[in-house]
Amino acid sequence: MAWQPSEQGLQEVLGMLRDTSSTDSEVQRNVAQRLDQLRFVPDFLAYLAHVLIHCTNEQDSHRAVAGLLLKNAVNQRSGPAANDNDARAMAYVKATVLNGLADPDQIVRQTVGTVITSLISNEEPGGWPEALDTLTKGMGAGDPNVVEGAFNSLQKICEDAPHKLEFQVQDRNLLDHLVPQFIEFTAYNTPKIRLYALQILQSLLAIRVPAVTANIDTYIQALFSKAADQSPDIRKCVCASLGLILGARPDKLVPEMSNVVDYIAFCTQDDDETVALEACEFWLTFAEDSSLKDQLRPFLPKIAPLLLKGMVYSDYDIAVLDIDEADEAVADKETDIKPRNYSSKVHSTHESNDPSSSKAGSGLSREAQDRAFEEDEDEEDDDDDDYFDDEEGAGEWNIRKCSAAALDVMAVSFGNDLLEILLPYLRDRIFDEEWTHRESGILALGAIAEGCIDGLEPHLPQLIPFLLKSLSDKKALVRSITCWTLGRYASWCVHVNLEDKTQYFIPTMEGLLQMVLDGNKRVQEAGCSAFATLEEEAGAEMAPFLEPILRNLTFAFSKYQQKNLLILYDAIGTLADSVGPALGQPGYLDILMPPLVERWQRLGDQDPDLVPLLECLSSISIAAGQSFTTYTGPVYQRCLNIIHTTLTLYQAFDQDPDNVEEPDRTFIVVALDLLSGLVQGLGDHMHPLIRDGQPPLLHLLALCLTHFEPPVRQSAHALLGDMSMTCFPLLKPSIPQILPSVIEQIVVEPPADCISVCNNAAWAVGEIALQYNGDSSALEPFVPALIQRLVPILLNSKSPKSLTENAAVTIGRLGLVCPALVAPDLGNFAQAWCTALWEIKDNDEKDSAFRGFCMLISANPEGIQNSFVFFCNAVCKWQHPSGQLDQMFRTILQGLKSGLGANWEAQVGNFPPVIRQRMAERYGV
């Protein structure tokens, strides 16, 4: 028997739906609780479907709410119907909602589309044939409401769950039947249907559906025929689709590229900004595909001026952003401050000898402690994208930002070829009387800094003074973009004339410091960010100027609102990282610490503003070392309190997750990282605090090493490794209890959010192992399990490079301490071990690992037999091995040569000449 609503049940549901529009908060709260109770009751879903489709006398908004509740409930359901009544209710829902495709109300039809999409999303492909039959027939219906309803539903399905249309009908994939029809409907007489058809095809093309590729020629012709459509939405869709085809099947556009470029160029200047932005995205797609470089080159003279034009502030941007007065006293709105994720420290950056490798870090140990706060957006280079960080509503992606990004990518691809085209335009722009044109020219100079630096270098002696002068421009937006552009040329300013810093470096430093103290918040932000970039580039070159720098930066504390304080903390932390121990010289902390201590005392342990302050203090404590001792006790104790409090909150949450809010893990993570900074900076001066502090650090550390949140475990393992280096006597009694949980974190192919945990665990084990050199009895029981976990990581081609390198270093260190336990496996991993580390720059960690590897060879010479050329190559890549390691290399090579006798030449005869030459020169073999 089919499901039927009862009048009483229907009235109750209608009453709740009407109450959703009540202004009484108590009524709304009661309704929300009741709806939450009912959402898993199939009868309730059937009532919602009944209201959505049949209660036509109700307000459309109430019917639409019923549909949205139904959609959400469908998405939260799982599994088949529990009984016959449930099955009848769900059958009623499915049969009823299909009738809504013909509803005369557009809002109801669109809501029906979301419900149908949710139902199909929760079925297997082809699991609801009645719906797909109704939708496909609806495309050709005589009733325009049905046509619109069907296409609206199909568009949503293709956007949210296109794989649900991948099943066989009459021996062909359903989409093989539908795609040609969708292409035909791009010529329909109603703009809305044309748009739906184009959007459907665009969604399918984005996931490379074979049916679209099979019909690509007719699809492209359909796009060309719609190129001049009166509807801006359709023109926008044409631009987006051409961009997708450029990425998926560029061969199909190449024959028509001249026409395509002309069309996109025309659309780039469309009066409708959404069309112009989509067209601009096409240039970015074009530029980012290196395989299309030769196709793009002929059109640079046409495209580059369009991008420059697009970089001028729009009228809307100016209305929102053009604030010239000093606004530093105006408190930030909550919306001004973007949420930031704190990044735990990772022992994973390895500096390479290979000049072709990516940006290097600072040795084998800790990832450079830079920019621990990253924007939530996926940006490859936060510093370089600061000009994307607009205030108010203009913070969204727009034509200006897209144009600048496309120009940046093209500059990297085409370098001086692009510069020759741009120079005349740039000259006009940067000297234009109209400030918006001048500002866009300065932005363009920054955008091309990376790619065109070689061609720009002869012009920089004139451009840098021009930029420094622009820091005095009366327009705040000109001053702020000038800061960003100077940051892009910071490396040149630092390194161009090291003998005479007064020419570019000091004026740039002074100019940016003035902007740090500007009265306009936007300029403060840009100046502080650019100064941090200059600090990174200059490194220790900043040390002679520390006093004026610190006085300026600390004075900014009295001027900055909350948003810019975050950037100021970052600039101070970067300064500490850059100048290192110089910060500990007498007097500097007396300037720096008072404003930090004042904020430290004012902020509560769970105040989010404490997080960037703790991060900043971590960098300061590492740099200042013993000079930080005055502040160590209170800082250490507060870190213990924060960790203990947050762990206690987690315990309460675990016991009652429904009623207790989950704590913010960031507080534990940043406190652990600050403890790492103290341990690194103060070494054995920390022993009394660690020994006597309450609650005991080692107890808290043990809890954090097994915490369910990966970032907490990540930072805990970093602290464990740092303590192993400087506080091992205190740590040693606990090692047998700690190591089993550490070993558990070392796994082949860890989940993405656990890669850094695995990294830090592998690194920490290596640091612990070094402490047992000379008496390894306590470590030996754990070595077999460690080797069983580390070697597969080393041999796995899917392991991230940093993890492979850390695994290799730790295997070497275990070999140094327990060679007899590791040597039997040498033949299994020798080749992979050598290749993992031979490009790493010389340092102490690499040295200890190689000394361990040499001990493994001494214990098991046969283990190196099949990998001897790899070992020799690794040896020859050393630039400055320690005296001890150098002697070990000599002993092994000469011993192997002596042992092989007449067979030596056969062993090394096929070695590359450069290896043979270096072996002969260095080791006489």
Side-chain angles (χ1 to χ4, degrees):
M1 197 171 90
W3 182 90
Q4 292 287 332
S6 73
E7 186 60 29
Q8 180 182 352
L10 182 59
Q11 290 306 316
E12 182 187 356
V13 171
L14 286 171
M16 282 190 290
L17 293 172
R18 292 164 188 156
D19 285 344
T20 58
S21 56
S22 170
T23 56
D24 187 325
S25 58
E26 185 62 32
V27 170
Q28 286 195 346
R29 187 159 43 249
N30 291 335
V31 170
Q33 288 177 347
R34 181 64 177 141
L35 290 174
D36 195 52
Q37 294 167 354
L38 292 171
R39 63 189 166 134
F40 293 120
V41 179
D43 264 17
F44 179 58
L45 273 62
Y47 276 111
L48 291 174
H50 185 85
V51 172
L52 173 64
I53 305 304
H54 295 304
C55 293
T56 54
N57 293 328
E58 277 295 308
Q59 286 184 28
D60 292 342
S61 60
H62 294 158
R63 294 172 65 195
V65 169
L68 293 174
L69 290 170
L70 176 56
K71 178 205 75 169
N72 292 335
V74 167
N75 287 336
Q76 291 167 347
R77 283 176 58 84
S78 60
N83 51 50
D84 289 347
N85 187 55
D86 286 5
R88 281 196 297 272
M90 289 310 298
Y92 179 83
V93 169
K94 288 182 174 181
T96 302
V97 294
L98 293 176
N99 296 326
L101 294 171
D103 198 283
D105 187 276
Q106 184 184 16
I107 293 176
V108 171
R109 287 199 306 275
Q110 292 191 334
T111 307
V112 165
T114 64
V115 174
I116 291 172
T117 302
S118 294
L119 287 165
I120 286 179
S121 297
N122 286 281
E123 297 279 353
E124 291 298 315
W128 188 16
E130 298 85 357
L132 293 169
D133 184 57
T134 301
L135 292 175
T136 52
K137 287 177 179 174
M139 291 194 299
D143 183 344
N145 287 337
V146 174
V147 177
E148 195 267 344
F151 266 98
N152 173 265
S153 300
L154 286 166
Q155 187 270 329
K156 288 182 169 68
I157 294 166
C158 289
E159 185 176 22
D160 296 341
H163 56 288
K164 298 297 184 180
L165 301 181
E166 297 267 13
F167 62 92
Q168 297 295 304
V169 176
Q170 298 172 1
D171 298 325
R172 291 174 66 201
N173 190 292
L174 175 63
L175 288 173
D176 290 335
H177 294 279
L178 291 181
V179 165
Q181 295 181 54
F182 294 147
I183 293 172
E184 287 180 18
F185 273 99
T186 62
Y188 200 74
N189 57 9
T190 305
K192 181 166 281 187
I193 303 304
R194 295 202 298 275
L195 179 61
Y196 278 139
L198 286 166
Q199 289 174 331
I200 288 168
L201 290 164
Q202 184 181 331
S203 295
L204 297 177
L205 176 62
I207 58 169
R208 311 281 176 96
V209 167
V212 177
T213 307
N215 293 275
I216 194 76
D217 293 325
T218 52
Y219 179 29
I220 291 173
Q221 289 306 313
L223 290 174
F224 287 161
S225 71
K226 296 296 111 193
D229 200 286
Q230 292 297 305
S231 164
D233 288 333
I234 289 176
R235 298 198 303 278
K236 173 186 169 185
C237 199
V238 170
C239 291
S241 300
L242 288 172
L244 287 170
I245 294 171
L246 188 69
R249 289 296 304 272
D251 57 302
K252 292 294 182 180
L253 287 188
V254 166
E256 298 286 342
M257 193 58 79
S258 181
N259 292 331
V260 171
V261 166
D262 285 344
Y263 174 68
I264 298 294
F266 178 75
C267 289
T268 304
Q269 302 170 83
D270 199 294
D271 291 337
D272 187 290
E273 284 197 14
T274 64
V275 177
L277 176 57
E278 202 62 64
C280 199
E281 291 272 13
F282 180 91
W283 303 131
L284 186 55
T285 301
F286 207 164
E288 286 176 334
D289 191 337
S290 58
S291 67
L292 297 174
K293 186 175 177 179
D294 290 337
Q295 301 297 331
L296 176 57
R297 188 186 300 274
F299 302 109
L300 290 177
K302 180 187 287 278
I303 298 168
L306 289 173
L307 296 178
L308 284 177
K309 185 177 178 182
M311 290 160 71
V312 178
Y313 272 123
S314 69
D315 292 341
Y316 172 75
D317 288 337
I318 292 171
V320 173
L321 302 173
D322 187 19
I323 301 169
D324 288 326
E325 63 268 19
D327 60 350
E328 64 184 8
V330 179
D332 295 330
K333 298 194 291 287
E334 251 183 70
T335 51
D336 292 339
I337 304 166
K338 290 184 179 179
R340 290 166 177 259
N341 286 333
Y342 178 77
S343 298
S344 311
K345 291 178 178 174
V346 189
H347 289 267
S348 64
T349 300
H350 300 69
E351 193 168 0
S352 172
N353 286 315
D354 180 2
S356 66
S357 67
S358 58
K359 283 186 180 177
S362 54
L364 273 160
S365 59
R366 187 181 298 278
E367 185 171 11
Q369 292 165 25
D370 58 349
R371 314 279 169 178
F373 286 92
E374 296 171 352
E375 301 291 351
D376 284 346
E377 299 153 341
D378 291 330
E379 295 174 351
E380 291 186 3
D381 191 335
D382 286 341
D383 302 340
D384 288 355
D385 287 339
D386 285 346
Y387 66 90
F388 288 175
D389 189 21
D390 289 336
E391 297 173 355
E392 312 294 341
E396 298 172 3
W397 186 245
N398 57 26
I399 296 169
R400 168 184 166 88
K401 297 172 185 178
C402 186
S403 299
L407 194 67
D408 185 357
V409 176
M410 288 181 190
V412 171
S413 291
F414 296 103
N416 291 347
D417 292 346
L418 178 66
L419 183 61
E420 288 178 13
I421 296 167
L422 286 174
L423 273 178
Y425 297 96
L426 285 173
R427 286 193 189 99
D428 291 344
R429 283 293 171 94
I430 63 177
F431 296 114
D432 200 301
E433 289 297 316
E434 172 56 44
W435 75 266
T436 55
H437 290 177
R438 196 164 65 251
E439 191 275 349
S440 68
I442 295 171
L443 168 57
L445 274 177
I448 64 173
E450 181 184 355
C452 297
I453 188 65
D454 292 340
L456 279 167
E457 204 152 355
H459 303 280
L460 289 178
Q462 291 79 45
L463 283 173
I464 296 301
F466 162 77
L467 291 172
L468 292 171
K469 185 179 177 183
S470 297
L471 292 176
S472 303
D473 197 289
K474 65 179 182 181
K475 299 300 294 184
L477 288 173
V478 174
R479 299 199 300 277
S480 64
I481 200 61
T482 302
C483 291
W484 177 78
T485 295
L486 277 169
R488 295 276 282 180
Y489 292 101
S491 179
W492 186 87
C493 293
V494 169
H495 301 295
V496 66
N497 190 349
L498 290 173
E499 292 75 31
D500 184 8
K501 294 187 174 68
T502 62
Q503 196 170 9
Y504 301 108
F505 174 51
I506 292 177
T508 301
M509 181 173 63
E510 290 175 343
L512 290 176
L513 280 174
Q514 288 174 8
M515 296 302 97
V516 168
L517 299 179
D518 196 276
N520 181 276
K521 290 196 290 186
R522 187 178 184 82
V523 179
Q524 292 173 355
E525 176 185 4
C528 210
S529 295
F531 192 76
T533 302
L534 184 70
E535 292 170 345
E536 290 176 334
E537 293 292 345
E541 298 289 331
M542 304 294 284
F545 312 100
L546 266 174
E547 182 173 348
I549 290 171
L550 290 173
R551 292 199 184 281
N552 275 269
L553 293 180
T554 52
F555 185 66
F557 277 106
S558 65
K559 295 168 70 70
Y560 280 16
Q561 298 295 329
Q562 186 179 6
K563 177 184 178 184
N564 287 350
L565 275 176
L566 297 175
I567 301 162
L568 181 58
Y569 286 135
D570 184 48
I572 292 172
T574 303
L575 178 66
D577 296 339
S578 300
V579 301
L583 188 63
Q585 292 177 12
Y588 291 149
L589 290 187
D590 294 338
I591 301 170
L592 176 58
M593 290 302 295
L596 296 174
V597 169
E598 188 271 329
R599 276 158 180 75
W600 165 271
Q601 292 171 340
R602 180 151 42 93
L603 298 172
D605 284 355
Q606 298 295 309
D607 191 320
D609 291 342
L610 186 65
V611 171
L613 173 55
L614 294 178
E615 157 66 6
C616 178
L617 287 172
S618 179
S619 291
I620 294 169
S621 65
I622 294 170
Q626 307 303 327
S627 300
F628 196 76
T629 303
T630 306
Y631 310 96
T632 304
V635 171
Y636 178 79
Q637 187 58 51
R638 189 160 190 183
C639 287
L640 292 185
N641 294 343
I642 290 170
I643 296 169
H644 179 257
T645 300
T646 313
L647 287 173
T648 303
L649 292 172
Y650 266 115
Q651 191 174 21
F653 169 72
D654 289 343
Q655 292 170 353
D656 190 7
D658 292 335
N659 297 308
V660 177
E661 186 178 352
E662 183 173 2
D664 185 350
R665 69 189 183 202
T666 306
F667 291 100
I668 295 187
V669 171
V670 75
L672 288 168
D673 287 348
L674 178 47
L675 288 173
S676 280
L678 294 175
V679 166
Q680 282 183 283
L682 285 100
D684 55 13
H685 285 72
M686 291 294 297
H687 287 202
L689 287 172
I690 295 173
R691 185 184 61 239
D692 303 331
Q694 292 295 328
L697 173 58
L698 292 179
H699 172 68
L700 298 177
L701 179 60
L703 294 173
C704 292
L705 288 169
T706 57
H707 197 273
F708 70 90
E709 286 277 14
V712 175
R713 299 201 304 278
Q714 179 179 331
S715 288
H717 285 86
L719 176 57
L720 175 65
D722 287 329
M723 290 180 66
S724 299
M725 288 188 276
T726 60
C727 310
F728 193 69
L730 298 174
L731 194 59
K732 188 174 182 179
S734 303
I735 290 296
Q737 289 74 46
I738 287 174
L739 266 184
S741 66
V742 177
I743 293 170
E744 287 297 316
Q745 305 303 316
I746 303 172
V747 294
V748 179
E749 296 187 28
D753 61 349
C754 294
I755 291 172
S756 294
V757 182
C758 186
N759 251 324
N760 285 2
W763 170 81
V765 166
E767 294 296 342
I768 290 169
L770 285 186
Q771 305 305 318
Y772 283 102
N773 202 1
D775 180 15
S776 61
S777 56
L779 181 66
E780 288 172 0
F782 302 100
V783 172
L786 284 165
I787 293 300
Q788 286 172 12
R789 287 173 178 264
L790 291 165
V791 170
I793 291 173
L794 185 62
L795 299 179
N796 184 13
S797 61
K798 296 180 182 177
S799 294
K801 186 171 181 284
S802 60
L803 184 53
T804 301
E805 291 164 352
N806 273 325
V809 169
T810 297
I811 289 169
R813 289 175 156 188
L814 290 170
L816 183 66
V817 179
C818 306
L821 293 176
V822 182
D825 289 301
L826 179 60
N828 297 332
F829 64 76
Q831 178 178 325
W833 193 96
C834 293
T835 55
L837 295 185
W838 65 25
E839 292 295 354
I840 304 306
K841 282 196 172 177
D842 303 353
N843 63 24
D844 291 342
E845 288 193 29
K846 181 180 175 183
D847 191 280
S848 63
F850 267 83
R851 283 188 281 119
F853 194 75
C854 288
M855 293 187 69
L856 296 179
I857 295 173
S858 298
N860 180 14
E862 291 184 359
I864 200 67
Q865 187 172 347
N866 294 328
S867 309
F868 186 51
V869 66
F870 293 90
F871 172 67
C872 292
N873 188 39
V875 169
C876 291
K877 284 183 177 289
W878 271 89
Q879 306 295 318
H880 305 288
S882 65
Q884 184 182 2
L885 179 60
D886 199 48
Q887 184 56 46
M888 293 176 87
F889 286 157
R890 180 174 286 101
T891 300
I892 286 175
L893 292 173
Q894 291 182 349
L896 288 171
K897 180 179 181 180
S898 174
L900 287 170
N903 293 326
W904 171 258
E905 195 57 38
Q907 181 78 15
V908 302
N910 293 325
F911 281 16
V914 65
I915 295 180
R916 295 217 54 184
Q917 180 182 346
R918 289 185 182 175
M919 287 170 60
E921 290 172 354
R922 293 184 185 178
Y923 303 111
V925 294

